[in-house]
Amino acid sequence: MARIFVAVAAAVALLMLGAALGLLIRVPSFDSAEPKPTAVDVGFAQDMSVHHQQAVTMATLARERAADVAVRQLAFDIETNQRDQIGRMQGWLSLWGEPAQAVGPLMTWMTADGGHDHTAPAAAGASSGGLMPGMATSAEMSRLQSLRGPEFDVYFLQLMLRHHEGGAPMADYGATHAALPAVRELAKNMLGSQRSESDLMRSMLSERGARPLR
């Protein structure tokens, strides 16, 4: 009888232990929960996608038209890298159930309180015409499309350098204020690659006797 009692008690103890372990496995810890995307995550993905798309347009043109093979290689690298980044950002927006582009003023996510004030005016540098810092105007894009040879190469480098420099504060803000680690990491990678490309473009302009746009 004693042996039966011990066996039953052991079985009950094992069942209770299994149930407890099952609860621990099924119920997630609040400490490990994935943070939700904030206005910064969403706004960064939306606005940077638009900013990147113009760079892709310019780089595609340069890859096909630039006279210098070094400029064509740079254009290929920019086009490839930024297409990939657009795909990632648009994929996130789809997963979050957010529109591909912002509805309303640009760059409102770059506010002092981390992007939570949806009534704040557009961040400094964003124009009412829909252009973010560094972006080329329609007239500048038309001029780029009209050029050929070394003159095209120089103007492409000037426009793309300004484009990179204009987008840097957006990437820096995203790297610092985004809630999701993946968004912060992408923004940091953008900063690193575009700083290297900007240094290269300054050097290429200097070699051609040209200066950056102001």
Side-chain angles (χ1 to χ4, degrees), residues 51 54 57-59 61 65 127 131-148 151-164 211-214:
H51 202 273
Q54 188 183 71
T57 299
M58 291 192 292
L61 185 63
R65 187 175 297 181
S127 74
L131 293 180
M132 286 171 276
M135 292 184 71
T137 65
S138 58
E140 289 171 331
M141 291 296 291
S142 294
R143 184 188 173 206
L144 181 66
Q145 292 169 350
S146 71
L147 297 175
R148 297 290 188 279
E151 191 176 3
F152 173 91
D153 293 3
V154 168
Y155 197 51
F156 165 74
L157 292 170
Q158 289 173 326
L159 289 180
M160 189 61 78
L161 175 58
R162 189 185 67 188
H163 197 276
H164 274 24
R211 302 177 66 178
L213 297 175
R214 296 300 177 193

Side-chain angles (χ1 to χ4, degrees), residues 115-129:
H116 298 290
D117 182 3
H118 295 279
T119 63
S127 74
S128 59

Side-chain angles (χ1 to χ4, degrees), residues 52-196:
H52 268 27
Q53 187 55 56
Q54 188 183 71
V56 168
T57 299
M58 291 192 292
T60 301
L61 185 63
R63 178 174 53 79
E64 298 170 349
R65 187 175 297 181
D68 192 319
V69 64
V71 177
R72 292 200 301 271
Q73 181 61 55
L74 172 65
F76 173 80
D77 292 342
I78 292 172
E79 178 189 7
T80 303
N81 194 30
Q82 297 207 15
R83 276 192 193 278
D84 174 71
Q85 292 171 348
I86 290 171
R88 292 173 65 183
M89 292 185 288
Q90 289 297 303
W92 289 336
L93 290 168
S94 179
L95 288 173
W96 301 335
E98 298 288 348
Q101 295 186 23
V103 178
L106 298 168
M107 299 171 65
T108 55
W109 50 278
M110 291 180 66
T111 56
D113 65 351
H116 298 290
D117 182 3
H118 295 279
T119 63
S127 74
S128 59
L131 293 180
M132 286 171 276
M135 292 184 71
T137 65
S138 58
E140 289 171 331
M141 291 296 291
S142 294
R143 184 188 173 206
L144 181 66
Q145 292 169 350
S146 71
L147 297 175
R148 297 290 188 279
E151 191 176 3
F152 173 91
D153 293 3
V154 168
Y155 197 51
F156 165 74
L157 292 170
Q158 289 173 326
L159 289 180
M160 189 61 78
L161 175 58
R162 189 185 67 188
H163 197 276
H164 274 24
E165 291 174 339
M170 297 168 64
D172 184 61
Y173 197 93
T176 305
H177 294 87
L180 300 180
V183 177
R184 292 197 303 271
E185 185 65 24
L186 178 62
K188 290 176 185 176
N189 290 340
M190 286 180 187
L191 280 172
S193 63
Q194 292 192 22
R195 281 171 180 162
S196 297

